[in-house]
Amino acid sequence: MARRRRPNGRTRRIPRAVLVVGAVVVVIALIGGIAVVGNLVTTLFRTIGATPPAVDTRIVTADESKAAQAARRGDGDAEQNAAAEWLASQPTTYWLTPEIDPVDEVWDRVAHLAAEAREQDATLSVAVYGLPDRDCGNHSAGGLDPDSYREWTARIGDALRNASDVRKIVILEPDSIALASSCGSIEDRARFLRTAVDGIRGIDTWIYLDGGHSAWHPVPEMAALLRATGLLSDVRGVALNVSNYQDTAAEFDYAHALSEQLGGLHAVIDTSRNGAGPAGSEWCNPPGRLVGSPTGAYGDGVVDTNLWIKPPGESDGSCNGGPEAGAWWPDAATELTREQR
C-alpha cells in the first residue's frame, strides 16, 4: 500500500525562527532549573552548617557604637578618653532602637554591621529594642505602635537574611517578658514578640528571648511567663542578666534551673558589667561596678556562651547621677574600666 502524503505531496517544515526560539526557551528553563537547584543546595548546606553561639564566639566590634563615637570625639579628660577607646575595641552587642535606627534606616544599619562582621570574621550580635510600651513607662520608655513595629522588625529580618553568610545573634526585647507581670499583659507582649520572631527568624539566626535574671523572678514564675509566650519552639533560648549586674555563677545556676523546667532551653548571659557583682537591689547605675568577663569566655551544655550585651558606659537612666537611658556617660565608662587600663 502506498504511503499517504500530505496535500501537495510535501512534508511541512518547522520554521527556523521557531526552532531557535524553542531552543532558547529550553536553555533558559534549564538555566533557571539549575539556579533553583543551586539555591536549594546552598540553603541546605547553610542550614546544615549553621552552628549556635558557643565558647570562644567573637561578636562584631561596631565602628558606630557610642563608645567608638566618644573615642573619635575625644572631648573628655585623659581617663575618659582612654576608657572610651578601650571600650570601643571590645566586641559588644549593638542595640537597634527605632529612635536611632528608624524603619527607613535600619536595613542599612544591619547591612553595615554585617559587613563589619565579615571583615572581622565575627558573629553579628544585635539587641532589638522597640516593643510597643517598651519598659512600661520607666527610664527607657518608648517603643513603636503595633503596625510600625511589624514593619520595623520585618526590615531587620530582611537585612539579616540578606547577610546569609554571617552568623547572627538576636537578643529580642530585653525586659519585655520579665516586666509583663507588673505592667501590660503577657498575652499582649507575646503577640508583639510573635510578630518580631516571625519577621526576624532565618538560617543561622539565633534568637534569645528575655529571661530576666536570678534576682528578679523565681524560676517557676519566670518559666511560666516564658511558656505563656508560645514561642519557645521558635527560638534558641533566653538572654539572662541583660543590663544587670548579677554574678555569672548565679546566672548559670538560674539558666540550668529554667532549662530543666522548659525542656532543655538554652541561654546566653550578659557579663558586660558584672565584674564586681550586684549592688544589693540597686539596678540603675549602681556605683563601684566593673566590666565582666569578655564575650565567649564561658559556656556549657545549657549556656551557649556569655556575651557583652549592655554596652558599658551607657546609662541605665537618670538615676545615681546618670543621664537619660542609653546616653553615653564618660564617668561610668571610666569607673567600669578602672582595672582594665
Side-chain angles (χ1 to χ4, degrees):
M1 179 182 293
R3 297 179 63 185
R4 297 181 63 183
R5 293 175 176 266
R6 294 181 181 274
N8 75 18
R10 292 178 297 184
T11 301
R12 180 181 295 171
R13 293 183 177 180
I14 300 173
R16 182 182 297 273
V18 173
L19 291 172
V20 170
V21 170
V24 169
V25 169
V26 170
V27 170
I28 290 173
L30 288 172
I31 292 173
I34 291 170
V36 169
V37 172
N39 286 334
L40 290 173
V41 170
T42 299
T43 299
L44 175 63
F45 276 110
R46 284 176 176 159
T47 302
I48 294 172
T51 56
V55 174
D56 293 331
T57 291
R58 186 180 189 280
I59 60 177
V60 69
T61 304
D63 63 7
E64 286 299 316
S65 69
K66 290 173 185 172
Q69 293 177 35
R72 287 195 294 270
R73 288 195 305 270
D75 53 6
D77 62 30
E79 283 195 337
Q80 291 171 345
N81 291 339
E85 290 173 4
W86 187 82
L87 288 172
S89 69
Q90 305 306 306
T92 306
T93 297
Y94 183 93
W95 286 52
L96 297 170
T97 67
E99 292 84 1
I100 296 176
D101 298 301
V103 67
D104 58 342
E105 298 178 18
V106 72
W107 197 98
D108 290 338
R109 173 70 71 192
V110 174
H112 180 74
L113 290 166
E116 290 184 294
R118 291 186 193 96
E119 293 170 2
Q120 299 171 22
D121 193 21
T123 296
L124 171 58
S125 180
V126 294
V128 174
Y129 196 53
L131 192 80
D133 194 27
R134 183 185 67 198
D135 204 29
C136 303
N138 291 319
H139 292 291
S140 297
L144 296 164
D145 65 77
D147 289 340
S148 297
Y149 187 64
R150 181 182 302 277
E151 183 180 5
W152 187 65
T153 52
R155 291 282 182 91
I156 293 170
D158 287 344
L160 291 172
R161 286 185 289 274
N162 188 62
S164 58
D165 57 323
V166 174
R167 180 168 62 178
K168 286 83 63 176
I169 296 171
V170 177
I171 311 300
L172 186 59
E173 300 296 346
D175 292 347
S176 59
I177 298 173
L179 275 174
S181 60
S182 57
C183 65
S185 71
I186 189 61
E187 292 79 16
D188 287 343
R189 297 207 154 198
R191 187 170 65 255
F192 299 140
L193 291 169
R194 164 59 67 188
T195 293
V197 169
D198 287 347
I200 289 171
R201 61 184 171 183
I203 296 172
D204 215 5
T205 300
W206 307 95
I207 301 174
Y208 296 86
L209 300 174
D210 165 46
H213 58 72
S214 59
W216 194 341
H217 291 287
V219 168
E221 188 175 300
M222 192 69 234
L225 286 169
L226 287 163
R227 197 179 292 113
T229 67
L231 291 169
L232 298 185
S233 62
D234 298 311
V235 299
R236 173 66 178 174
V238 293
L240 302 178
N241 203 38
V242 177
S243 300
N244 212 270
Y245 304 84
Q246 304 304 312
D247 289 316
T248 302
E251 297 309 292
F252 264 76
D253 290 344
Y254 193 65
H256 278 257
L258 282 175
S259 183
E260 288 176 6
Q261 295 206 13
L262 295 172
L265 195 72
H266 287 258
V268 290
I269 294 171
D270 186 359
T271 57
S272 60
R273 305 184 300 174
N274 72 345
S281 60
E282 179 61 76
W283 62 267
C284 191
N285 298 326
R289 303 306 92 194
L290 292 165
V291 295
S293 300
T295 289
Y298 304 113
D300 61 19
V302 170
V303 177
D304 289 334
T305 191
N306 64 298
L307 300 170
W308 277 23
I309 298 176
K310 171 70 174 185
E314 295 185 18
S315 177
D316 292 326
S318 52
C319 49
N320 283 323
E324 65 181 9
W328 180 252
W329 188 12
D331 290 341
T334 301
E335 183 174 58
L336 285 165
T337 61
R338 65 186 182 275
E339 294 186 4
Q340 303 296 326
R341 297 173 285 107

